[in-house]
Amino acid sequence: MKLSVVGALVGSLLAAEIAYADMTTIEDVLGRQVEVDIPAKRVVLGFYAEDYMAIGSEKAFDHVVGISRDTWEIWRPASWSLYTNYRPSLKDISDVGDVESQTFSIEKVLSLKPDVVLLADWQYKGLGMDMDLLEEEGIAVVVVDYNAQTLERHLKSTAIIGQLTGQEARAKTIANEYETVITSTQKIIEDAGLPKPRTYIEFGNKGPSEYSFTYGKNMWGAMSTGMGGDNVAAPYVEWWGPMNPEQVIASQPEVVFITGTESGVKGNSMPMGQGIDRALSVERLKGFANRDGWSSFPAVKQNRVYGIYHGASRSILDSSMAQYMAKAQYPSLFADIDPEQAYLDFYKKYLPVTPTGTFATRITE
């Protein structure tokens, strides 16, 4: 009897040691040390769905039990349709709600019994103390960040997803390719020593009649600056937000980028992305160029007004969009590259679908 008890105890201890041995410490982008059993078996994904699939491969979604669906289906509806037509089971993944609209449900997450909850930095910060409830239940919370648009965070986030999905080699390849594009582009600009062009970027979701968000240190603002632009919003907008129209006009930008999504087909918003006709995008760009006071812009006079796909930022897919901004800002340096095609080529190489539409365009096209 005693031997049986001892044997059972030893067996339990061995099982515990084996389980512990399977745990890996991951340092997320915030420097938090998180114990995770990898590859993760049950994952709740807050954001960066395409990144997770590109880096972890399509099979990684076999283990995704929850998503913040609005960040895909509502923000990028045509992309959602493209993927769900290819893989209808994506619609069966439980929706845990959206942090931005304050519908994110901790209770729903807990009911899914995930091993890991993978969140964007902005989501983690937005949820605040609610994260304690997950961690108290032994659920690993890992933070990644492509929104910052820094090379360091892009590479680290990619490595983290590679660890979580057991695809470290694939992640390293993707990260190395991204780093090569960014650093080589920056070197060409630096070596040329040309004056930095004044740039203005705006999310065109409100159409020409109302100024919408521009970007300071992150997202498109960081991309423009990283590619040698002098972002005119930087002194006035720290992260993202509207800029006073008078300040925009006074800055006299030499290059203008208007970003848009598939939802832009409604009203006078800027339409860009999956299924969007290029002629429509160019027509809407002209509407922005015709705003009061914009005719004096060097950007408008020289036809350096560009449309760019909003869904192609804050992602490991965005090196081609960074190249596009570099080409728009320094056309003499990058005449021989086709960034929009490079964007589509990434899909062909790492994702199961390839979109068609308009992802980058110029007012003269």
Side-chain angles (χ1 to χ4, degrees), residues 261-273:
T261 67
E262 297 89 349
S263 298
V265 293
K266 302 174 183 177
N268 292 316
S269 300
M270 185 64 201
M272 296 292 295

Side-chain angles (χ1 to χ4, degrees), residues 67-112:
I67 58 173
S68 184
R69 189 182 290 189
D70 278 11
T71 63
W72 198 353
E73 183 180 19
I74 303 301
W75 294 11
R76 300 175 61 202
S79 173
W80 172 256
S81 294
L82 180 66
Y83 277 93
T84 53
N85 287 338
Y86 165 77
R87 183 175 170 135
S89 62
L90 289 172
K91 296 179 181 178
D92 300 327
I93 300 175
S94 294
D95 180 16
V96 299
D98 175 32
V99 175
E100 188 171 81
S101 62
Q102 299 183 333
T103 60
F104 191 91
S105 172
I106 295 296
E107 292 75 17
K108 181 67 175 180
V109 173
L110 290 171
S111 73
L112 297 173

Side-chain angles (χ1 to χ4, degrees), residues 272-323:
M272 296 292 295
Q274 165 67 16
I276 299 299
D277 180 69
R278 193 171 300 275
L280 177 62
S281 296
V282 172
E283 179 187 338
R284 297 285 177 84
L285 266 185
K286 291 177 180 177
F288 284 90
N290 286 330
R291 276 175 167 170
D292 288 345
W294 280 38
S295 61
S296 66
F297 288 2
V300 174
K301 291 179 178 179
Q302 298 166 18
N303 291 317
R304 297 178 71 186
V305 180
Y306 302 86
I308 198 163
Y309 182 38
H310 198 70
S313 66
R314 58 194 172 188
S315 169
I316 198 61
L317 286 74
D318 64 37
S319 61
S320 54
M321 293 298 108
Q323 276 192 315

Side-chain angles (χ1 to χ4, degrees), residues 121-307:
D121 181 28
W122 64 268
Q123 291 176 315
Y124 179 79
K125 290 174 179 175
L127 290 167
M129 294 181 64
D130 284 343
M131 292 296 90
D132 295 340
L133 298 174
L134 297 180
E135 291 172 338
E136 286 170 5
E137 293 296 321
I139 298 170
V141 178
V142 178
V143 181
V144 291
D145 183 16
Y146 291 102
N147 282 58
Q149 293 294 163
T150 66
L151 182 59
E152 178 187 5
R153 285 209 167 184
H154 263 54
L155 299 183
K156 190 171 183 65
S157 296
T158 303
I160 289 168
I161 293 174
Q163 285 182 284
L164 289 175
T165 59
Q167 291 285 350
E168 291 93 338
R170 183 180 173 100
K172 186 174 182 180
T173 297
I174 292 173
N176 286 346
E177 289 173 353
Y178 186 92
E179 184 175 19
T180 297
V181 170
I182 297 299
T183 56
S184 63
T185 304
Q186 289 175 331
K187 188 175 189 308
I188 290 171
I189 294 169
E190 183 180 348
D191 289 349
L194 298 173
K196 291 185 176 183
R198 297 184 303 278
T199 62
Y200 173 69
I201 310 108
E202 182 181 330
F203 184 24
N205 62 323
K206 294 185 178 181
S209 62
E210 183 179 355
Y211 282 64
S212 187
F213 299 136
T214 186
Y215 302 88
K217 295 179 181 177
N218 70 345
M219 287 184 60
W220 296 111
M223 289 176 73
S224 172
T225 301
M227 294 296 109
D230 178 10
N231 179 15
V232 300
Y236 308 103
V237 177
E238 183 173 11
W239 300 111
W240 52 270
M243 185 174 165
N244 188 306
E246 292 181 1
Q247 291 171 333
V248 177
I249 293 170
S251 70
Q252 292 290 292
E254 297 165 280
V255 184
V256 169
F257 298 101
I258 304 295
T259 77
T261 67
E262 297 89 349
S263 298
V265 293
K266 302 174 183 177
N268 292 316
S269 300
M270 185 64 201
M272 296 292 295
Q274 165 67 16
I276 299 299
D277 180 69
R278 193 171 300 275
L280 177 62
S281 296
V282 172
E283 179 187 338
R284 297 285 177 84
L285 266 185
K286 291 177 180 177
F288 284 90
N290 286 330
R291 276 175 167 170
D292 288 345
W294 280 38
S295 61
S296 66
F297 288 2
V300 174
K301 291 179 178 179
Q302 298 166 18
N303 291 317
R304 297 178 71 186
V305 180
Y306 302 86

